[in-house]
Amino acid sequence: MNWGNLFKIALRAIAANKMRSFLTALGIIIGIASVITMLAVGQGTKRSIQANISEMGSNMIMISPGADMRGGVRQDASSMETLKLEDFEGIKENCSYVKAVSPSVTKGGQFIYGNNNAPSSMYGVNQDYLEIRQLTVSDGEMFSDADIKSAAKVCILGQTVVDNLFPDGSDPIGKVIRFNAIPFRVVGVLKKKGYNSMGMDQDDLVLAPYTTVMKRILAQTYLGGIQCSAVTEGVTDKAIEQITDILRRNHKLKDAVGDMPADEDDFNIRSQEELSSMMNSTTDMLTILLGCVAGISLIVGGIGIMNIMYVSVTERTREIGLRMSVGARGIDILNQFLIEAILLSVTGGIIGVLLGVGLSYAINTFAHWPTYIQPWSIVMSFAVCTLTGIFFGWYPAKKAARLDPIEAIRYE
């Protein structure tokens, strides 16, 4: 019996029981659609996180004070005074793998203009901070070196602060606002960036010269942190090594000599590359988990195909006997039922792919979840559904092929 005839017989058998065939394929449809949709959500989330990290500066390096032991008690890192202006100067002058570096001090408080007020944070930085964090002044200008040297009371507002302090839409440039009780003249407004993937408002901030914040607000001589930007993302590790050597030398930390262990670093260095790697591994694990959960539907669908094929073999035992009695071989019977199982799974796979793609776009459009459909996920899903048809259809088909023709004809 040729393949064309086997294909026609399989189609007639499926068409004879349309509802049963559809319900059999439904498990495959749901499984494929679930796999494609879940993988699309996982990959979309991963890409969204990567984009937000990239917006913050993929080659950014953050240096913060390290915790210390005093009297047997480990102190909070935020209370440490280990980072000084000398460290900032040392990195700026001696680190060849760093293209931008800014000191950082922060103070939260209430900003007031007229009858309007807004809680926010003031960041004491220098001009390089804009390049490091990929910020842009959309209106006005950045404060100057002269403002930093004189600790001038000038500031640049994020868009959220502008909206809260100037709800009437008036131009904030040149206006004097108060931070707690200290007046600041607004010299610029930052370009709007919106929320990042972690739900943080990137426009809820105010920038001022670090000298101003240190002297006039915090009254301190140490830094809360130092932020750098590596020349390229590829040399981030080398930049971290250079920074570590400079800070250990500045802080007079001893290296290991003989049996004497090295002094622990009194600072912490983190990079966006490290954060990106951690987030990618987390989202990859989540995607795999979602894919495995959705894949269970495929197994259930495959079991459904095997169950229905068993029923079909039982119902058509006399037909099988008659075919064998007129010359059909066991391999012909095997191929007939195997083609039937594959047709059910492939048809369910095609419908499942279309449904999965549609659901992915619907989730992105209506739920506003980031989704991204990778071509390999469709190919993989389709290949899996075909293998499912072969795997779960083989045993019932093999059973049909092994029937004794005489016994099959007598079967009632």
Side-chain angles (χ1 to χ4, degrees), residues 149-266:
K149 290 177 182 178
S150 63
K153 290 182 283 189
V154 294
C155 67
I156 297 175
L157 305 182
Q159 192 60 51
T160 298
V161 180
V162 172
D163 293 341
N164 290 330
L165 296 185
F166 303 91
D168 57 353
S170 60
D171 186 5
I173 305 300
K175 303 290 176 57
V176 176
I177 65 173
R178 282 182 293 133
F179 177 63
N180 297 335
I182 304 171
F184 279 83
R185 180 170 56 87
V186 179
V187 296
V189 175
L190 293 172
K191 183 179 178 181
K192 186 178 179 67
K193 291 192 74 172
Y195 288 84
N196 62 20
S197 59
M198 290 168 278
M200 296 175 60
D201 187 356
Q202 300 179 90
D203 301 311
D204 189 11
L205 80 166
V206 176
L207 306 183
Y210 66 90
T211 50
T212 305
V213 178
M214 291 174 68
K215 293 177 182 179
R216 301 183 184 277
I217 296 176
L218 297 174
Q220 66 184 38
T221 58
Y222 59 91
L223 300 175
I226 300 173
Q227 299 199 12
C228 311
S229 179
V231 176
T232 63
E233 190 174 346
V235 299
T236 300
D237 290 338
K238 293 181 179 179
I240 291 175
E241 289 178 11
Q242 276 193 337
I243 293 169
T244 301
D245 291 339
I246 291 169
L247 294 181
R248 285 186 64 84
R249 187 167 59 249
N250 284 0
H251 297 182
K252 297 181 173 55
L253 299 176
K254 298 177 182 177
D255 296 327
V257 178
D259 295 333
M260 294 292 292
D263 292 340
E264 288 187 15
D265 292 341
D266 57 358

Side-chain angles (χ1 to χ4, degrees), residues 102-105 123-130 142-143 148 206-211 213 227:
S102 171
S104 176
V105 283
Y123 293 84
V125 295
N126 67 5
Q127 296 94 327
D128 283 353
Y129 188 79
L130 296 184
M142 184 62 175
F143 47 77
I148 294 176
V206 176
L207 306 183
Y210 66 90
T211 50
V213 178
Q227 299 199 12

Side-chain angles (χ1 to χ4, degrees), residues 88-128:
F88 156 67
E89 295 291 345
I91 294 171
K92 182 178 180 181
E93 295 173 4
N94 302 316
C95 193
S96 58
Y97 291 108
V98 168
K99 65 176 178 179
V101 56
S102 171
S104 176
V105 283
T106 309
K107 176 65 176 178
Q110 201 78 7
F111 290 87
I112 303 168
Y113 179 76
N115 295 324
N116 301 310
N117 63 84
S120 189
S121 296
M122 177 172 282
Y123 293 84
V125 295
N126 67 5
Q127 296 94 327
D128 283 353

Side-chain angles (χ1 to χ4, degrees), residues 292-323:
C292 289
V293 171
I296 294 173
S297 301
L298 275 178
I299 297 174
V300 174
I303 293 172
I305 287 177
M306 185 168 67
N307 184 40
I308 293 301
M309 294 308 297
Y310 263 124
V311 173
S312 183
V313 168
T314 304
E315 286 181 346
R316 295 157 64 187
T317 300
R318 284 176 61 84
E319 176 192 333
I320 294 168
L322 287 171
R323 290 186 186 283

